[in-house]
Amino acid sequence: MTQSLNSGRTWAESLESAARYFTHTVGGAFRFAVTSDELVQRRFNAELQQVLRGKETPVQIHDWSKASPPDMYPAEQLRRLKAAHPETKGIICIGLERAMRESPEMLTLLNFAREALSEVGVPILFWISFRTLPLMSRFAIDLYNQRIGANLYFEHDAESADTDGSAMRFIAHETIAANQDLRPLEARLKLLEKQFDELKKIQSPEKLANDIVLELLKVYVKIPGMTRMVQSLIDEYGGLIDVEKPGRCYDIATIYEYLGDVQKAERHYYQALQQYRLLAEQNKPSWLPNLALTLNNLAVLQWNQNDYDSAEKGYREALAIRRDLASGNSQKYLPDVAATMNNLANLQWSRNDYDSAEKGYREALAIRRDLASSHPQTYLPDVATTLNNLAVLQWSRNDYDSAEKGYREALGVYRELAASNLQIYLPDVAMTLNNLAALQYTRNDFDLAEKGFREALEVYRELAESHPQIYLPDVALTLSNLGLLYQKGLPDREKSLACAQEALSLLLPLVESLPKTRESFERAIKVVENWDLDPDEFIANLNIPQPKNPASGTSSAEHE
């Protein structure tokens, strides 16, 4: 079990302690976390923010080394941050060592500002290194002595932290508690984790993998932010799962797809499909739903790999099976009909078969509206998805009025859903805001477009704080849209170039490894060129981080 220096806390206990500090502290307060590994700091901050969002306790991260202007006093930096984010319930301060290299008197300034820092009115967590810790007693002793609670110490690197998975378990349960839609998973997850801990001591790894681990994985993939936990379990037990049984083969395919391992996912989908076909031939009624489900999800995978012919063939076969099933039991199988119709329409739209796509969207939307009238909590998200997809199609056909109407209705639904399940539906709110604003820009309704882009950007920034690999491309996309708006719609050279500069700083490390960012990159370059600047020179003046391998984006096709 991973221990932290002096305090004896595990990673999970430190996470819980930090969360309790922010949720239970009223007014200004100070606490310190100590590590010399920046990756540990980043990971801990991301996990802490994820937990706190579920507790409706948003916290902001402040980097001392990025103060603008650089000589701004520490308390004023935090006051401005609090003013820009009045909803914040706490501040996590990073970058102290970098700031000290530029301003050696930084610790002294913090010490003198301790009362003003307290008057910011929210708890503050300071990250410092082991090298800086002894300096606190020399240059910031008064500030340090006012701390609440023991320091959080992290002597291990990010890779060796939480080796027993206790922190990820804590995050999983906190996430479930904060999301109404996930609460049905709570009892099941507790039972499976208890069985896993008990049986791990007495059962063979093979039996544990097939009896418990696969069921655990099926629960974890439904909880946001569990990629690390899923990857850890699949690395240890994936090769032990018996894929000769079609149900397990299908389940393991969905797990590999969740992790982005397309080759393994496709191989297991094909194997499950072959097994279900044989079973359906022997006992047609009972195995047809499984066959249709596998066809649908394999087609989603094929579409994402641009294998349009195979995907369309799979969707059509799945749709035919599901229509036949729905004719005998509409209540049970109509939702599946609508899902496959929506997916097929997405594919038809991407192949420029607009008439067929619009027909499919409208039929799927009619089914989903009818289902949502009696089960809104279950089917309203599907209504919003289809409205958004139909609006995208209508926009591409220059039917702007219908598209705007669809976007607005979808946005209203997503806002309503996010009010009770923020973590799940906030990304959909941001996506729809961006889509609607882009349409308003096209219609020269620039003030509304600016408002929409700005709100979308604020949401994406918040999401990127805890999941940068997923949402930084969306931050960059929205920035590039704003850069264009401030060039052609609401001309402002300074704002336009600032947006383009930040977008390019984010996109340059991503554009080669993540093709979907190419359009945003080219838009930001165009903004620079349109202001009569040399893009190469402009980029050369940026401080570009090293390339990373972000997670692949998700498509709007629906798995089940």
Side-chain angles (χ1 to χ4, degrees):
M1 183 176 289
T2 303
Q3 299 290 332
S4 53
L5 187 66
N6 293 341
S7 66
R9 289 190 180 94
T10 65
W11 180 277
E13 290 167 344
S14 295
L15 191 62
E16 187 172 1
S17 177
R20 191 166 53 249
Y21 167 65
F22 282 109
T23 56
H24 287 62
T25 304
V26 177
F30 311 135
R31 195 170 182 186
F32 293 84
V34 187
T35 184
S36 295
D37 189 331
E38 191 165 336
L39 290 178
V40 167
Q41 179 193 115
R42 290 179 184 175
R43 176 177 163 186
F44 190 83
N45 288 344
E47 293 180 1
L48 178 59
Q49 284 188 301
Q50 182 175 342
V51 170
L52 290 173
R53 266 199 305 276
K55 296 178 178 292
E56 298 184 352
T57 308
V59 297
Q60 298 295 320
I61 293 180
H62 177 68
D63 190 338
W64 295 116
S65 67
K66 294 183 179 179
S68 180
D71 58 352
M72 184 185 301
Y73 284 110
E76 180 61 21
Q77 294 180 37
L78 298 195
R79 277 196 292 265
R80 292 193 181 188
L81 177 66
K82 182 68 168 62
H85 301 278
E87 77 289 348
T88 193
K89 302 294 178 60
I91 299 173
I92 301 172
C93 293
I94 65 173
L96 181 59
E97 281 69 27
R98 290 190 295 273
M100 288 168 60
R101 286 196 289 271
E102 298 296 324
S103 303
E105 72 283 2
M106 185 66 181
L107 287 180
T108 303
L109 291 174
L110 285 171
N111 196 52
F112 279 125
R114 61 191 180 279
E115 297 302 328
L117 289 170
S118 181
E119 290 170 1
V120 174
V122 296
I124 301 169
L125 178 66
F126 295 91
W127 278 97
I128 60 176
S129 70
F130 284 101
R131 185 174 59 254
T132 302
L133 183 60
L135 299 179
M136 298 297 296
S137 61
R138 293 175 56 192
F139 301 107
I141 186 61
D142 298 313
L143 172 71
Y144 189 65
N145 284 341
Q146 290 183 19
R147 68 192 185 278
I148 292 180
N151 293 345
L152 301 173
Y153 293 98
F154 302 87
E155 61 176 336
H156 297 282
D157 60 27
E159 292 301 318
S160 61
D162 192 33
T163 52
D164 62 355
S166 57
M168 293 308 298
R169 284 190 180 187
F170 171 70
I171 293 172
H173 288 284
E174 291 296 308
T175 302
I176 288 174
N179 290 278
Q180 186 176 348
D181 286 355
L182 297 177
R183 286 181 192 158
L185 301 174
E186 185 172 13
R188 174 93 174 132
L189 180 58
K190 286 182 178 178
L191 175 62
L192 286 169
E193 288 177 340
K194 182 180 179 181
Q195 291 175 332
F196 177 84
D197 292 338
E198 293 175 350
L199 297 177
K200 188 175 182 180
K201 303 171 185 176
I202 59 175
Q203 279 192 349
S204 67
E206 291 81 3
K207 187 168 178 56
L208 187 66
N210 288 279
D211 291 350
I212 303 297
V213 173
L214 186 55
E215 294 304 311
L216 259 178
L217 287 168
K218 287 159 63 177
V219 176
Y220 281 134
V221 297
K222 297 177 182 177
I223 305 171
M226 289 293 105
T227 304
R228 188 180 296 113
M229 176 65 91
V230 173
Q231 186 68 65
S232 174
L233 287 172
I234 205 72
D235 286 346
E236 187 170 357
Y237 295 100
L240 303 175
I241 293 173
D242 179 11
V243 294
E244 294 304 314
K245 296 184 177 181
R248 290 175 179 172
C249 190
Y250 170 84
D251 289 338
I252 203 69
T254 65
I255 303 301
Y256 281 124
E257 185 173 10
Y258 169 87
L259 293 171
D261 192 335
V262 175
Q263 289 184 337
K264 288 183 180 178
E266 188 171 25
R267 185 171 74 247
H268 285 87
Y269 274 136
Y270 270 120
Q271 184 175 339
L273 185 63
Q274 184 180 24
Q275 293 167 335
Y276 280 133
R277 284 195 190 281
L278 290 172
L279 290 168
E281 291 173 2
Q282 298 166 9
N283 189 357
K284 186 173 182 179
S286 61
W287 292 105
L288 280 175
N290 304 84
L291 176 59
L293 177 63
T294 309
L295 282 164
N296 180 86
N297 286 5
L298 175 58
V300 171
L301 186 71
Q302 291 165 330
W303 179 37
N304 287 332
Q305 299 305 306
N306 299 321
D307 186 358
Y308 295 148
D309 290 336
S310 297
E312 182 160 357
K313 181 180 178 182
Y315 282 142
R316 290 191 180 280
E317 185 179 355
L319 183 58
I321 294 171
R322 287 175 161 176
R323 283 192 190 278
D324 186 54
L325 291 168
S327 66
N329 190 339
S330 61
Q331 187 173 1
K332 184 174 182 179
Y333 293 111
L334 266 181
D336 299 332
V337 171
T340 306
M341 289 192 68
N342 183 82
N343 289 349
L344 178 58
N346 287 339
L347 175 63
Q348 291 164 330
W349 178 85
S350 66
R351 304 187 86 172
N352 299 322
D353 185 358
Y354 296 147
D355 289 337
S356 298
E358 182 158 359
K359 180 181 177 183
Y361 283 140
R362 289 192 180 280
E363 187 176 351
L365 182 59
I367 293 172
R368 286 173 161 176
R369 284 193 192 278
D370 185 56
L371 292 166
S373 65
S374 54
H375 299 89
Q377 194 70 27
T378 303
Y379 295 110
L380 270 179
D382 298 328
V383 170
T385 296
T386 313
L387 281 166
N388 184 80
N389 291 346
L390 179 58
V392 172
L393 173 65
Q394 290 164 330
W395 181 5
S396 68
R397 305 187 83 175
N398 298 323
D399 186 359
Y400 296 150
D401 289 338
S402 297
E404 183 156 354
K405 181 181 178 182
Y407 279 140
R408 288 188 180 279
E409 185 180 354
L411 181 59
V413 173
Y414 282 134
R415 286 194 192 279
E416 180 183 346
L417 293 166
S420 57
N421 294 282
L422 191 66
Q423 193 168 2
I424 292 178
Y425 294 110
L426 196 58
D428 297 309
V429 171
M431 173 198 69
T432 312
L433 279 166
N434 187 77
N435 289 351
L436 176 58
L439 174 62
Q440 291 164 332
Y441 171 84
T442 301
R443 305 188 79 178
N444 297 327
D445 197 347
F446 299 129
D447 289 332
L448 284 177
E450 180 187 27
K451 182 180 178 182
F453 282 139
R454 283 289 176 191
E455 186 178 354
L457 180 61
E458 183 177 349
V459 174
Y460 279 135
R461 285 194 194 281
E462 180 182 345
L463 292 167
E465 286 178 356
S466 53
H467 299 289
Q469 291 185 316
I470 296 175
Y471 293 111
L472 277 180
D474 296 310
V475 172
L477 165 67
T478 313
L479 283 165
S480 68
N481 287 339
L482 275 168
L484 197 61
L485 173 71
Y486 288 133
Q487 185 170 81
K488 297 186 176 180
L490 302 171
D492 186 321
R493 178 185 173 92
E494 184 177 351
K495 286 184 178 179
S496 178
L497 287 174
C499 289
Q501 177 177 327
E502 185 178 356
L504 289 170
S505 296
L506 295 172
L507 291 168
L508 275 166
L510 307 178
V511 70
E512 295 302 325
S513 59
L514 196 60
K516 74 171 188 175
T517 62
R518 172 63 61 180
E519 183 178 351
S520 301
F521 177 80
E522 292 176 350
R523 185 183 298 115
I525 289 291
K526 194 67 177 175
V527 169
V528 174
E529 290 177 337
N530 288 344
W531 287 114
D532 296 324
L533 297 176
D534 184 322
D536 293 333
E537 185 177 335
F538 189 85
I539 289 173
N541 292 326
L542 300 178
N543 182 21
I544 305 301
Q546 292 299 310
K548 301 176 181 178
N549 294 314
S552 299
T554 57
S555 87
S556 56
E558 299 166 27
H559 290 74
E560 303 159 50

